[in-house]
Amino acid sequence: KSKKNFKLNKMVLLYFNWKYNRMSLNILVVDDSKLTRKIYEDKFNEKGHNVVLAENGQDGIEKYNTKFNQTENIASGNCDCVILDFEMPDIDGDKVASKILEINPLQKIVVISGSEVEKLRKAFQEMKNVVEIVQKGFSIDAFVKKIETGEEK
């Protein structure tokens, strides 16, 4: 068992070393607003990051599976961050986050919403340790910096 833990720990260390020594990030933006997707895409591209856009929850899950599937090798097809709208017409953000976390329990997910804080806390109660919630009304430049640096709340 300790050999297995050592191998797992070594793999996790290699992954994080690889992840944080890269200059550009791979980001999945899932939002039903075309304008919002465009704003994120422009700002992150301006900083040299790679952005994949999804127009709704189902599209987000499919793109995560095809572009960022992490089941074979944790370092290949890496998604550094999923930026996820909470309220979407087909599948709400909590369901999308849950599906993505089934694929990769270590995935960083930032949920953006204008909903009441209490409603969001309830929706993400079981994921509160891995999903960060950000209320709308933030500066896009500050948000990009936050994603780049990995700073919590």
Side-chain angles (χ1 to χ4, degrees):
K1 186 174 181 173
S2 98
K3 213 175 195 182
K4 185 178 181 182
N5 285 343
F6 174 75
K7 190 174 183 178
L8 178 62
N9 289 339
K10 184 177 177 185
M11 192 168 92
V12 170
L13 284 173
L14 286 171
Y15 165 70
F16 283 108
N17 184 40
W18 171 81
K19 179 176 176 178
Y20 291 108
N21 285 321
R22 292 182 305 139
M23 296 300 286
S24 66
L25 300 174
N26 294 319
I27 300 166
L28 173 62
V29 175
V30 185
D31 199 301
D32 59 312
S33 165
K34 187 175 184 175
L35 177 61
T36 301
R37 289 192 311 269
K38 180 75 173 136
I39 291 169
Y40 287 132
E41 180 181 39
D42 289 349
K43 280 297 181 178
F44 282 107
N45 282 338
E46 185 179 292
K47 297 285 190 168
H49 303 301
N50 305 308
V51 180
V52 174
L53 301 175
E55 62 188 39
N56 58 49
Q58 187 60 44
D59 188 33
I61 294 166
E62 288 169 11
K63 286 193 174 151
Y64 189 87
N65 271 321
T66 58
K67 305 251 185 220
F68 304 115
N69 192 334
Q70 306 209 4
T71 55
E72 291 179 6
N73 180 350
I74 199 163
S76 71
N78 177 306
C79 180
D80 297 293
C81 183
V82 175
I83 299 171
L84 182 59
D85 186 19
F86 176 61
E87 293 178 336
M88 292 182 281
D90 64 337
I91 306 172
D92 280 339
D94 57 331
K95 307 284 187 300
V96 176
S98 181
K99 293 280 189 192
I100 288 172
L101 291 170
E102 284 175 18
I103 299 165
N104 178 11
L106 299 174
Q107 180 60 60
K108 177 180 180 177
I109 299 175
V110 177
V111 175
I112 308 296
S113 181
S115 296
E116 296 174 23
V117 175
E118 195 55 39
K119 180 179 178 182
L120 294 170
R121 282 192 186 127
K122 284 180 185 175
F124 291 95
Q125 180 63 34
E126 292 182 20
M127 297 174 261
K128 67 182 175 187
N129 294 326
V130 291
V131 173
E132 183 174 354
I133 299 168
V134 175
Q135 289 287 145
K136 286 185 178 176
F138 51 82
S139 150
I140 188 68
D141 292 318
F143 181 70
V144 168
K145 184 174 177 147
K146 171 187 179 44
I147 298 301
E148 290 175 325
T149 61
E151 293 176 5
E152 293 297 316
K153 301 172 183 158

